[in-house]
Amino acid sequence: MKKYSLQLLFWFCLVALSGFIGKAQAQSVTVQGKITDTDNKPVQGVTVAEVDADGRTIKAGRTDVNGNFSLKIINKKHKLSFSHISFISSELSIDERTVFNQTLLSSSKDLQDVVVLSVRKADNGMVPISERNLTTAHAHINAKEMEEMQSASIDQALQGRLPGVDITAASGDPGTGMQIRIRGTSSINGATNPLIVVDGLPYETTIPSDFNFGTSDEVGYAQLLNIAPSDIRDISILKDAAATAVWGSRAANGVVVIITKRGGVSRPVLTYTVKGSLTKQPEALPMLNGDQYSTLIPEEYMNPAGTPLPQTTKEFQYDPNDPYWYHNYSNNTNWIEAITRVGYIQDHNISMTGGGEKARYFASVGYFNQKGTTIGTNLDRINTRINLDYIVSDKIKFRSDFSYSYTNNNRNFANNLRDIAYRKMPNMSIYEFDEYGNNSGNYFSPFANIQGSYNGLTSSGNVNGTVNPVAMANEATNNIISQRITPHFKLDYTIKKNILQATFDVQFDINNTKNKSFLPQTATGRLFTEPAVNRSYDGDIDVFNVTTKTNLVYTPEFKNPKHSLVSFLSLNTFDNKSTSHEVLTSNTASSILVDPSSPSRTQNSESKLQSNQYETRSIGLLLSAQYSFQDKYIFNAGIRGDGNSRFGADHRYGVFPSVSGRWRISGEKFLKNVKSIDDLSLRLSYGQSGNAPTRDYSYFSIYNALITGGAAATIGTPFSYLGQGGIYPSNPELKDLRWETIVGQNLGVDLSMFKRRVTVTLDFYKNKTKDLFYTGLQISSFTGFNTIDQNVGTMDNQGFELGLNTTPYKSKNWQVDLNFNVSSNQNIIREISPLYPSSKGDVTTNGQYATFLKVNNPFGAFYGYKFKGVYKDLASTIASDEKGKPIIGPNGQTVYMKFNYPSIGYTFQPGDAIYEDINHDGNINYQDVVYLGNSNPKYTGGFGSSVSYKGQLKLTAFFNFRYKNDVINGTKMNTTNMYGFDNQSTAVLRRWRKEGDVTDIPRALYRNGYNFLGSDRYVENASFIRFRTITLRYTAPKKIADKLKLKNISGYITGENLYTWTKYTGQDPEVSLRGSDPFRVAFDQSFTPPAKIFTIGISASF
Amino acid sequence: MFKKLTIKIALVLLLFSGVSCKKWLDLQPTDGITGASYWKTKEQVQASVTGCYASLLGSPNGSRSLAELLFLWGELRSDMLATTTFTVPEELDIMNVNILPTNSIVNWRSVYQTINYCNTVIDFAPQVLGNDQTFTQDALNKSIAEVKALRALMYFYLVRSFGDVPLKLKATASDKDVEQIPKTSKDSILLQIIQDLSEAESTAAITYGDRASDKGRITKYTINAIQAEVNLWVENYAGCISACNKIISSSQFGLIDGSVASTWFNTLYVNGNSNESIFEFQFDNQRQNTFYPLLGIVSRHLAANPLVLTDVFPTDFVNLPPMIDIRGDGASVRSTDNMIWKYSGLSNDNRTQRASTQYAAHWLVYRYADILLMKAEATNQLNNGQEAIDLVTQIRNRARAVAGNNTNPSPSDKNAVNDFILDERKREFAYEGKRWYDLLRNAKRNNYQNINLLLQMVLNTVPADRQQSAIAKFKDKNSHYLPIYFYELQTDKLLVQNPFYK
C-alpha cells in the first residue's frame, strides 16, 4: 500500500514540477523601487517577490533600511508582490515597468477588534459545508467554551454539553478513560466507541484487546488524552448515519471530528496558559470504626447457628495478655483516609502562532501533571504539536502537522483499591506492632486473617479477596508509559481554480506503550513460594498506523446561480500493525527486584511469556454529492464501498448508501416576509454504515498445538502424546460473519430567529442495527467449541435530541446567554438468535436481580422482590393468606414463611428481611418477583448560562441532569448486608438485635439467610441535577494589556462538581450502565461522589 | 494538462481499487496454521490423530480434564469414596444423590470436544490422499479406524452416563456447521457405536511397533475390548464373549504376576503400559493428570471410603500368615490416611507418594483382567457358571484375594455367581472409574431386575438424613442418568432435559 501512496505522491510532484519547467522563459529585466508607509517613511524588510499567475513565488528580495529594493525579473508577464507583516499586501503587474515606488497601507486595523460575521463552516472531516446547508444531524462545540475546565482530555470537558452524546467516566483516577456513546449503544458487544477524526484523518483509539491492560477498551480510549485540549479549535460530532456514512466502517458508532488550531496571517503571537487545580475527595460514606465493627462480627457469626466465633479467632479477642494480636487488632483505622490525599493538577501550555502570505505556523508545547486523590496515582504528560501550512502557489498547498506526546501514568495495582479499603476490617492496624506494642514501621500484611487473603487478580485487574490497602497503594506499582508520534502530511492541488481540487493526506501514527507492574510480597503477605509474590510484569505494545486519504473535489460553476453542486470522490486506506510482547514472572528474590529480568520463576500458571502480532487493513471508496437549488432545496447523496481484512472473502466488501435532504422553509415565499426568522429548515436523512468486527483473523480456522496452559489458548507449552505433538482445530472458520449494518433515519428541524439570538435544533432518530455482532456467543458443546462470533439479531436505538441556544439579553455592556439540551434514547432488541441467552440473574441468590431479554421491549428493566421491613418477632413470621388469616398446615400446625420451598426451604426467622408474598402462598419464590424499575433515564441533558459584562467579566455556569432512572444502590447493599467480614456502613448500627426490635435493617447473619435478595430496598430514583461547573473569567481590557506590554491577558477561577440535587441516597447518582449487553442495569458500586475540583487559570498572549 | 492529470489520477485510483485491493486485504495470522493450508500431508493427519488422543489428557480451552471427569462420573455415585473437609459442594451433591442441572460435573464438554476432533479427522483426512502421494489408502483407513473407535468409546461413556444424547458425526469446521440438534435415543447411539466399532475393527492396526504406542493408541484389541463392554451393556452376551475371545486368543496380553506385590504395583500402575494393559491414557511428567489436587494434596477433595479397607479388602483372620489382598492397602488405598493410592502411589511397600510434579499415572481404560471378568459375566448370563467362576478365580489367585470374601457360589446359581463377579470387579477395578457403570449395568439387567443393588449401595454412602430421599430417587430409573448441563439447554432449544430433572 505504502508503495502506491508514494507513487501517487510522486505523480503529483511530477505534474507540479512540469508546470514550473514549462513556464520558465528567459526575459531578464531588473526592477527597482522604494517602499514607504503612509507617513512617507521608508519601510525596511518588505518582501518583494516576483510571482507567477498561480501566485507561486519565482524570485524574491527584501527592502533595505531605506526601503529600497532591486530585483532581477525572469518574466515580465509575472506580477510583483509586496508583503510585510504590518502592512496590507499588494500586487502589481510588471509588464514594461521597471520602477516601483510603492506606499503600503498599515494593516494594524486588521489586528484590532474585527468582528467576523462569516458563516460557520461545519466540517465532517472531508469537505467543509456551511452549517446552514447541512442536511445531517450534528453537534458542534467550540473548544473555547470549555477551556476553563480542568480536564486532562477533551472528552471529560464535553460531558453533558451536547445533546445525544453521553460521556461517562470510568473512575476519577488520573489516566482512566471515558466512555463516549453517541445516541446510545448500537452494538451488543462489538466496537462501540465513536471514530475520532483529527484534522481530516481517523485517529486510532484502541489497542488489541488481549494486551494486559485491565479493561483495554477504556484505557485505550484514554489515548485521546494525547491531544491537548488547548490545541483544539473545535469539535463536531456527527450523529446520524447519513453523516457518519462518509467515514464508513469505523464510523458506525458516530464520529467525533476534531480540528486543531492552525496559524493565520499575523505577527507571531505567543500565548501562555496555566491552570492549577486542587482536587478533593468529598466526604465518603460513613463506615463503622474498629470498636463498632468488633461488636458486629461476633454477633453476626453467632446469629445463624448460635455458635460463637472459635477461640482461635484472635482478631476479635482484644486480649491484652496476647499483646501481639491485641496491638494489631484493637485499632480504629480509617482505611479510606489512609489512602486518600488532596490531589492537584497543573497544566502549562505555551503556543506560538503566526505566519505570512506563504507560510503559517502553530506550535505548542504543553505540560500536564496530575497527582491523584488516591495514593499511588499520578499522571505526567508532555505534548507538542507543530502545524505548518505552506502555500507554494495558488495551485499547490502543503500542510505538515507533527504531534508528539509522552505520558507517564502511575496507577494503583488493584483497580478496586478504594473498594478494598472500604471493606477492610477497621480494627486492624496499618503497620505491624510487635508484642511490646512498638510500631515496627512495616506494613501489617498478614498471610491471611479472618477476613481472608489475597486471592489473585480478575481479568479486569481487580484484586480478589483482601489486602492491606495502604501497603497495596504504596508498595505495588503499575506504571504505563506511552509515546505517540503522529506526522501528518497533506498536499492540496488545485487542478482548476474553484472547480476541481485534489488533496492527498497521509498520516503515520507511531504509538508505543509500555506497561510495568510489580506486586511485592509486602503488599499481600503471601508465602514466598506462591506465584502471587514479587510478581513482575513488563509488557510492550507498538502500534504503527498508516492512514491515507485521497480526495477529488468537484464544484462546477453553473451559469444559473440557482444551482450549486459540491461533489467529491474519496479513497481512504488504513493499515494498522501492532506487535506486543509481554513477560510475567514471579518470585524475584526481593521486593526491590521489580523487573522480570531479575532471576524469577516462570513456570507456573500465572506467568507468561507472550508475543502477538496483528494487522488490520481497510479501504473505502466514497462518492458523495451535495446539490442545492435556490438555496432552498438541498439534496445530498453518497455511496461508500468498504473493504475490511477482518472478514472472510465472501463478506469482505460492503456497500453503504446514504441520502439526506434539507428544505429551507424560511426561503419559501410565505415565510420570506417574517423578518424574525433567520432560518427554518427541515432535515431528513437516511444512511447506512457498516461495522467491522473487533478481532483480527477471526474468520480463519486455525490448527494449533495442544498446550499445557489450559484456559488461555496462547499461553503455555505444547504437550505431546507418546512423544508426538498433537494438533487440534482451535476454532471453527467463520464463513458467515457479515458486516454489522446500521441503518439510520433522522428527522431534524433547525430554527434560528432574531439574528441568531435564538437557535433551536430538534432531531428525532431511529438507528436500526442489523446483523448485530456478538463476540463469544455460547454454542452447544457438542460442536466441540465453546463460543463463536456471530451476527445475532437486530436492535433499534431511537430517541430525540433538543438543543436550544438563546441570548435573551444583549446590550452594549451586557450579554446574557442561556443554553439547554435534552435527549432521550431507548434500546430495543427486535430480533435475536435463539442461541442468545434470554435472562440473567438468579433471584434465589442474595444480591441478584432478574433481567430479561424481551423482543420489542426496551432494555434496562429489572425485577425482584418487594421489601417490607424486618420481622420483628416470631409471630410476625407466620404465613398468612390473601385475607390476612394465618395459613394452617395439613396437620393443623402453624406455617411459617419459607423461602423457595422445597428446593431451599429456608424458614424466615425474627430479624430477617420481609419480602412481600405476592401470591400469598407462604412461600417466597420466583412467583413473588415483580417489576422494580428501569435503569434507562427518560431524559438526560444539561443547561447553562453565561453573563458577560463589557466582554471583560464573564460568569459561566453549567448544570447537567438526568431524569427518571432507577438505580440499584449496590453500595447500600454491600455495606448493610452483614454477610461476611467486610466492614459495613454506620446504618447497620440500627440493625435488628432482639425480639421486638422494629427497624429497617435486618439482623446480621454470617453467610446465611436471605437478607439482601434483589428487592426494591436498594432500588432508588436517581434523577439528579448537578452543578457541574461555575467559572468567573476576567479578561483585561486593552488598555491594561498594553500597559503590561501584552496582547491580551485573562484569568479565571472555576469550581467543578460543587453540588448535586438528588433524592438518591447513594454516593453518586450518575451511574453509568456498564457493559453493553441487553441485561445491563445501573448498579451503583461507587463509594465516593465525584471529586470537587477548584481551578485557577491565567492565559496571556504576547 | 487538466485532462491528462485526470486520466492519471483515474488510473492510479483504478490501480488502488482493482487488482491490489483484493490482495491487500488478505491478511494471514502469524500464529497457528490456517485451515486452508492444513490437510496437505500425511504428517498432518498423524498430528491430528495425536491431537485427538492428546485431548484425552487435557482440554485446550480449560474444560475439566477428561480423565478427571471419567473418574468423577464412575466413582462419585458409587460406594468407594468419602468426603473430606475440602470436598466441594458439587461433588458432595452428586455423592448425596442431589444432582442439579447446574452442577458443572455433569458438563459433557470435554467428551464432545474429543468427539469433534475425531470427526474432524474423519471428515478431512481423506482429502490428503489427493495432496500427498506418499499417503496410502491403508494408512488412511488405519487412522480413521483409530479415531472412529475413540469416538465410539466417547459416545459409550455418554450414553451410559446420560442416556439419550445428541449424536454429532460431522465435524464443526465453520460457523455454518453450528446447528441445534435434538437428542438421539440411547438405543440408536449404541447401534452407531457398534457399527463404528465393527467398521474400525476391520481396518485397525494390530500394532504400532512399540509397546507405549500399542497401549496408548487404539489397536484392534482395544476395539475388541470396547466391543466386549458394549455388548455386555446391550445384553448381547455371545457378542461379548466373542470379542473377549479375540483378545484372549491373540496371546498378546496376560495378567501381571502378583506374587511380589510391589513389582505388580509398579508394573501395572506406577510405570503403566504393562503386558496386561490394553488401552490407557498416556499422561507424562509434561502433561500430568489432575489427580493431585483432587486426590493427592493435603487439602484433597476426595478420599477412600473407610469401609473399603474393612469391607472390600478385609483383613484375613483365618490363615496364618494372613493372606493379604495385594489390591487393598498400598494399591487402591493407603490405610494411614485413606488416600486413593492408585494415582498417588509411587511404591507399594514403603507407601511413598508421588511428588506434585510426578502425577503422571496413566488412566487405565481396559486391561486384560477386565476382559476376563467381562467374559465371566457374559458366560454366567449364558448359564455357564463354572467357566465364569474359573475366570474369577484366576483373577482372585493373582491378587491373593482373602478367603473371607470368597462366597463360593454354586455354578448353577446365576445370581450368586453374578454377585460374585461384581464383587470381584469392585476389588479389581477400585477407583478405575468403572464401579458406577458396573453397578448400573447389573442393576438394569433384565429390565431392572437388580435395582436393589443401587438401593443397597445408597445405604452405605448417603448420610442418614438424606437416605430416604436418595432411595426414593434411585427407585426412579431415570435418576440413574445424569441431567443435561443447563448450559446445553440454553444453547440448544431442541434439547429436552432428561426426564428425572425436568
Side-chain angles (χ1 to χ4, degrees), chain A residues 1 8 495 500 617 645 701 703 710 718 721 724 727-728 733 735-736 778-783 785-786 834-835, chain B residues 2 12 16 24-25 33 35 39 47 50 60 108-109 116 172-175 180 216 286 487-488 491-493:
Chain A
M1 174 61 230
L8 195 64
I495 302 166
L500 192 60
R617 281 174 176 165
S645 67
S701 88
Y703 285 83
Y721 190 81
Q724 296 179 5
I727 298 283
Y728 75 104
E733 182 181 351
K735 281 184 184 165
D736 209 26
Q778 298 187 330
I779 51 171
S780 300
S781 60
F782 55 70
T783 59
F785 300 102
N786 295 0
L835 291 174
Chain B
F2 167 44
V12 173
F16 268 118
W24 195 67
L25 291 177
I33 316 153
W39 301 113
T50 306
W108 60 35
R109 184 179 289 284
N116 183 52
T172 308
S174 82
D175 51 356
Q180 303 205 332
Q286 193 196 11
Y487 169 96
E488 305 296 333
T491 53
D492 183 356
K493 305 288 186 235

Side-chain angles (χ1 to χ4, degrees), chain B residues 111 114-115 118-119 122 144-160 167 169 189-198 200 218 223 226-227 230 366:
Chain B
V111 186
T114 301
I115 290 174
C118 294
N119 285 337
I122 295 169
I144 294 209
E146 277 183 271
V147 293
K148 247 189 192 167
L150 189 59
R151 182 176 77 181
L153 178 66
M154 293 296 118
Y155 271 117
F156 188 40
Y157 277 113
L158 286 175
V159 79
R160 282 182 292 170
L167 180 66
L169 298 173
I189 290 188
L190 284 162
L191 283 176
Q192 179 68 42
I193 292 170
I194 291 165
Q195 189 199 329
D196 277 349
L197 288 172
S198 68
I218 287 175
I223 296 170
I226 309 171
Q227 282 171 329
V230 173
Y366 290 109

Side-chain angles (χ1 to χ4, degrees), chain B residues 83-96:
Chain B
T83 57
T84 69
T85 38
F86 300 96
T87 307
V88 296
E90 291 194 330
E91 290 155 359
L92 194 66
D93 279 348
I94 295 196
M95 294 172 85
N96 289 341

